[in-house]
Amino acid sequence: MTPFIFSKKKLTCPLVYDTVPLNKPIREMTFIVFDTETTGFRVNAEDRLLEIGAVLVEGKTVKEKLTFQTFSNPNRLISREIAELTGITANDVEQAPSAFEAISAFFDFLGENKADCLAGHYVSFDELVLRSELKRTGYSLKMPPSIDTLNLIGYLAPSYDMRDLERYAQIFGTRMYPRHRAVNDALTTAYLFVELLELLNDRKIDTWGELLRVSGSGGQVP
């Protein structure tokens, strides 16, 4: 089975998650933690992709030197609010690749690093960004299961009810980077992710199958 399925040929980047034995230790797995920046939150309507950032995590180690970053030309104005929030300006994206090209490059990064699985913070939004952009160019994208740090937090600390990445990083005492740039947020998420994996390990959740069970059930173990 190919995790990424498109309605046209090319632009395929298979992750190997579906061939990973469920009893494989998490410490032997390769994750890609990623994040996107956009012109706004209505990405299935008028808003567009601005940037993709990602970092490699091997087992429970963040590989800071193995990162990915690309801008994407949104072909629309960037509001003053978004420019002030992200620091991304029209000059940054004027010569940037299209969303299709940016996502293609990201998928190449996944393949080159033999990633088992994607991870992110509120990752469903980032997946929606990718699907929406590809849909505009006639592609249909089926995403493989991704690990969302929100679900892991929901299992470990169900009393926490918020989505702010910085606040969670503070609570769990993990490394933080300046916010609202894709690579920086990916790095902050990566360090939060590995801390959560350590806490899960303390609860004897240390295999791929157990991680899928926890993260795929919205934080509630069946």
Side-chain angles (χ1 to χ4, degrees):
M1 181 175 68
T2 301
F4 292 106
I5 302 175
F6 301 90
S7 61
K8 297 180 180 179
K9 61 182 180 180
K10 300 181 180 180
L11 196 62
T12 57
C13 182
L15 298 179
V16 298
Y17 80 99
D18 56 331
T19 62
V20 178
L22 293 178
N23 64 352
K24 184 174 182 177
I26 293 171
R27 66 177 181 274
E28 297 177 6
M29 296 189 64
T30 299
F31 301 92
I32 298 291
V33 179
F34 81 109
D35 182 73
T36 61
E37 297 296 335
T38 62
T39 62
F41 295 109
R42 292 174 55 82
V43 294
N44 58 349
E46 71 270 14
D47 287 311
R48 297 291 186 269
L49 175 67
L50 283 177
E51 185 181 30
I52 306 173
V55 60
L56 183 72
V57 173
E58 289 186 347
K60 299 173 186 176
T61 302
V62 180
K63 299 293 185 178
E64 286 194 4
K65 295 184 178 180
L66 290 174
T67 61
F68 171 87
Q69 185 276 339
T70 181
F71 288 118
S72 172
N73 190 334
N75 292 307
R76 57 156 289 177
L77 292 175
I78 300 173
S79 70
R80 178 179 298 180
E81 179 183 19
I82 293 298
E84 291 177 350
L85 181 69
T86 65
I88 300 172
T89 67
N91 289 337
D92 294 317
V93 301
E94 183 178 8
Q95 301 299 321
S98 67
F100 180 88
E101 293 168 331
I103 295 170
S104 298
F106 174 51
F107 288 170
D108 287 342
F109 177 76
L110 300 183
E112 290 164 3
N113 287 283
K114 298 180 172 61
D116 294 314
C117 183
L118 291 171
H121 188 78
Y122 189 28
V123 73
S124 60
F125 175 78
D126 300 297
E127 292 174 346
L128 177 61
V129 174
L130 302 185
R131 287 197 302 269
S132 297
E133 290 291 4
L134 290 173
K135 183 178 180 180
R136 292 184 182 104
T137 57
Y139 285 78
S140 176
L141 172 65
K142 179 179 180 181
M143 294 291 293
S146 299
I147 305 299
D148 196 325
T149 52
L150 283 172
N151 288 347
L152 302 185
I153 292 167
Y155 170 70
L156 290 164
S159 62
Y160 293 157
D161 184 20
M162 55 186 175
R163 290 179 177 176
D164 186 69
L165 173 60
E166 184 175 354
R167 181 60 177 152
Y168 278 130
Q170 291 172 342
I171 289 173
F172 287 92
T174 60
R175 191 175 304 185
M176 290 187 291
Y177 293 77
R179 291 295 316 279
H180 303 300
R181 286 301 299 271
V183 170
N184 287 348
D185 281 356
L187 283 163
T188 298
T189 301
Y191 279 103
L192 174 62
F193 178 55
V194 298
E195 174 63 21
L196 296 173
L197 292 181
E198 291 289 357
L199 294 173
L200 289 170
N201 185 69
D202 292 341
R203 300 194 183 191
K204 309 303 180 185
I205 297 171
D206 56 7
T207 66
W208 171 232
E210 290 165 342
L211 181 61
L212 277 178
R213 182 166 61 94
V214 170
S215 66
S217 57
Q220 299 298 318
V221 178

